[in-house]
Each structure stands twice: as structure tokens, then as C-alpha cells.
Amino acid sequence: MFEATKVGRTVSKEDFKGQQEELRTLLLEAQRELRETNIPVVVLVSGVEGAGKGEVVNRLNEWLDTRGVQTFAFWDETDEERARPRYWRFWRTLPPRGDITILFGGWYAAPIEHRFQGHCSDAELDAELNRIVEFERMLIQDGALIVKFWFHMSEENQKACLNALSRDDRSRWKMMPQKAKFSEHYRVFEQVAERVVQHTDQGISPWHLVEAEDPRYRDLTVGKTLLHAIRNRLNNPGVPDQGTSTANTDMPSGAQAQITVLDKLDLSKSLPTPKYKTRMTELQKEINELAWHAYNAKRSTVLMFEGVDAGGKGGAIRRITSAIDARLYRAIPVAAPTDEEKAHHYLWRFWRQVPRAGYITIYDRSWYGRVLVERVEGYASDTEWRRAYSEINRFEEQLVGSGIVLLKFWIHIDQDEQLKRFQDREETAYKRYKITADDWRNREKWPAYKEAVNEMVARTSTQHAPWTLVEGNDKPYARVKVMRTICESLERALAAGRPSISGYVPCGDKRPAAPVPTPAPSGTPVAKDPKGKG
């Protein structure tokens, strides 16, 4: 597929000079218009070594207003990045709406290198590429414009370019000699690259293959392509390819035909006060020991609490935090998003709070607001909250896949108990701040919230991240159930001895796999691996 990038296209100095000035003017105009929109632009720059990716990015920063452009290179992982899921580093770099971010390699660099070095099979690479396709689709459906460039050249031209760079004291190539392995095995690297490009060349996020031998042709092609992509998006502001059905499941009428998972909870469950105190003392001691054990084992924990208003989330969280060393956890109260948070994908603010290895993050409310309050109150469109189920499942799968212990609690009470607690809050001075007009108003939408919770559990209670539904009418019983669930889950996870993964492994695992076979000369039959691993 790279033949079209080896035909020898060039642009003369005169043509370049004549076109550059107009292109720069048009890019600045488009960028100014972009700043007034809700469109974040992500430019991915990848390709063979020596193709001038750094020169292209520097040129774009010259042509554009750099106050609205950020550039990130993903070289060695920092200690902070290695202590979290791999995609954490990418979420941190996503631009706010109206801005442009340029990423060197982005989320493609590590999988390509991992496969090239033989650390995973083709099947494992394909699995990671599927995750990338879904990640890009999620960003695009949220309004992002992703423009992907792959720079390519022939093997002979690459050698010539790298020889020149090796004599340049300012070149990254000379400063990073370990990259030489890519040029030494040009055809093997090209085979991996072709698999990656073909797999991720989607209609809503296509690759632009750019011949990189002539810098003037290369730079103008990138500038014009980026301009066209931004202009096209400005003229067609609708989000492409929603890919989400808005069909409702119509249920028969009748009370028994419309019961939910919440109706099946036995809210009469209770725990006598003496037994509660004894058991809570035991569990708090246990959770403290397990928290230190997890810290030493570099196993992170995410505890997420949802529930009806006055359901007891705060009380359950306080029993946890009072037992654990304050240096090991962070409690995050989730309220309405700030202006900064609104300028990004709704999961962005939760990715930022993912704990580093060995620590605990406790979310009081969470990313499920998209399919609960935002759904019921109309803050999110039908399309937005319907596609959120799969987005949330992929998010949680990445957390668990990186070694995080994820526990999700829904604490439920009935309407009578809620009314009693609301009245108690109004009558008690130090609790009065907890009750608002919205709490009273939300009682009128109890059936709508029950329906939303039922669908939430049905669509997001997965094998890797199941929901724990807690009967909350009796506070002692609910608190003990939460604590017991946490202790048992941490104990199982630590006893299982699963490795604490340093960052999200790009594809496969870190054990060497079969290297990519060297392609046979053109026209030579190649025997197929019966196992399909290539």
C-alpha cells in the first residue's frame, strides 16, 4: 500500500514560496474560526524514521498561531505514567474544544514498536488496534476532528536521509541512536506499519499517506490536507457516524412487567447495633492492613459510589477513609462539570484522577452521571447517553486490564426512607447543607431514575467490573456490606498474585513473541503459518 509514497513527487522552491504564503494565511483564518467552535483537533504524526516528522511539526507551529497549538512527543514513559493505565498519558494531552494538539506517534507508536520487537503476535496487535479504533471513534463522536499523517519513503531514500541526520549534531536521530534498528530492518518495519495503517484506516479517521522524500512537497501536502480537513469540518459541524441506535425497548404495561433490579432488593435487611460495632471495628482494621498491602504490591484501587439522594454514600465513604492512612487515598466528590471539564470529553476529568500504582481513589458520584442525571434531566442527548454505555465499559476494561481493583457500589433506599432522611436533614443544623431544592424535585422523577438505573446495571455490570447493589434502608447493614465487599475483593486480588502492570501494555505481554517475519522478495510465494500468527 506504500507504493504511492515512492514515486518521486517534488515541489520547486518557487512553487513552494508562492503557495506557502497563501496556505499560511488560510490556516490562520481557519484556526481563528476553529477557536469559536466546540471542535478539538488532534493531529497524529507518524511514519518511518528519517521522514522529517519533526520538521513537519515545526513547520505547522510556524504556520499556525502557537497559542492555540500544543505538541507532545511520547518517548520514554515517566514514572508517573508507568504507574497508571497507558491511555492516561494520552487523555492528559487531549486539547480543549477549539484548540489543536499535535501528537508524535500518539497511541500508535508503542504498539508498532512492540510488534516490531517481537513482544506480541499479530493477533495481539490486532486486538490493540481494535481498541484504538474504538478510542478514536469515541473522541470523534464527541466532536473531535482527528487528522492522521503517515510519512513514508523508499528504503534507499531513508538510508540517505539517515546518513545526513547522523552528521547533524542537532538531530534527534543522532541523539537517539537506538532508533537505528528501524532502518536496519526497513522491510520488516514496513510490514508492521502496513498492518497498522490498514487496520485503523477508518472512514471517520482515515490515514493520509504522505511521500516524504521532498520536504517542500511533504510540508505543503500536510498543510493543505490539514486546512481541508478543518475547513470541511467547519462547513459541516455535525458529528459524523454516530453509530448508536436510539431505539427504545418497549415493555408491556403492568406493574410486574416493569419491575427493575432495584425492586428485587430486600430493603428490610438490618444489623443490630452491637453486632454492627463489632463487625465494623474488625473490617476497618482489615481494610487498613489490605490498603498497605496493596500499596506495597503496587496495586491501585478505584472505589465508585452511586445511589439515590440521601442513600448513604457519604457515610459509607467516611467509614472507609477513617480506617485508611490519609496518605494512601483521595476522595473525589463529583459535581457539575467546570468550564474546563466541559471543554473535553466527559471521561477526561475521571481519567485525570485515576490513582497511581498502590493508591486508592474514591469517587462520590462518577462517570455514570452521563447515563443517570444527564439522561433523566436532559443534559445529554439520546445519542450521547446511549453510546456512553460502551464508552464506560471500555474505560473500565482498561482500568482493570492495567491491574486496578475496581469496585462499583449502588446504595439504594426506598422513597419512604428517603423522605425520612430529607426531613431529618432539614431539622438538623449540621446536616442542613446536604438538602437542596433539587433533591426534593428529583423525588418527582423517581420512576425515570429507576428505569435509568436498571438499564445502567444491565449494560455495564460486566465480568471485569460488576455492580454491587447495596440494601441501604438500614445504614449499619449497608456500611458493613460495603466494607466487607471491599475487603474480600482486595484480599482475592492480592492473593491471586496478578502482576501489577507498569502502564498499559501496548499489545500482548512483555515476553518476547515470534518476531515479524522478513517479507520475501516480490513474487516469491510465502508459506502461511498454520496458526495464523504470521
Side-chain angles (χ1 to χ4, degrees), residues 399-417:
L399 298 185
V400 175
S402 69
I404 290 175
V405 178
L406 171 62
L407 298 175
K408 305 184 304 189
F409 295 96
W410 176 271
I411 304 179
H412 192 63
I413 58 176
D414 61 32
Q415 285 184 285
D416 291 340
E417 178 64 22

Side-chain angles (χ1 to χ4, degrees), residues 6-66:
K6 305 174 185 179
V7 298
R9 293 177 176 177
T10 62
V11 171
S12 67
K13 290 183 180 180
E14 293 75 17
D15 286 344
F16 180 81
K17 185 176 180 181
Q19 295 180 55
Q20 176 184 222
E21 198 63 31
E22 180 185 10
L23 176 59
R24 182 175 186 179
T25 301
L26 293 174
L27 277 170
L28 287 171
E29 289 177 357
Q31 187 181 12
R32 282 193 292 271
E33 290 184 43
L34 186 69
R35 293 300 296 270
E36 304 302 318
T37 72
N38 287 326
I39 304 170
V41 178
V42 178
V43 180
L44 278 160
V45 175
S46 195
V48 299
E49 290 297 332
K53 298 184 288 291
E55 295 173 359
V56 173
V57 172
N58 289 333
R59 182 78 76 179
L60 288 176
N61 276 277
E62 174 189 338
W63 287 344
L64 295 164
D65 183 347
T66 54

Side-chain angles (χ1 to χ4, degrees), residues 305-318 364-365 409 411:
F305 289 85
E306 290 281 1
V308 299
D309 296 328
K313 299 183 299 299
I317 291 172
R318 281 194 300 274
D364 183 352
R365 301 291 188 189
F409 295 96
I411 304 179

Side-chain angles (χ1 to χ4, degrees), residues 286 290 299 301 303 405-409 466 468 481-496:
E286 184 178 354
L290 288 168
R299 290 297 299 273
T301 304
L303 306 176
V405 178
L406 171 62
L407 298 175
K408 305 184 304 189
F409 295 96
T468 299
K481 181 172 180 176
V482 168
M483 292 287 284
R484 186 179 68 247
T485 301
I486 296 172
C487 289
E488 291 175 353
S489 299
L490 279 174
E491 190 172 10
R492 282 196 304 270
L494 293 169

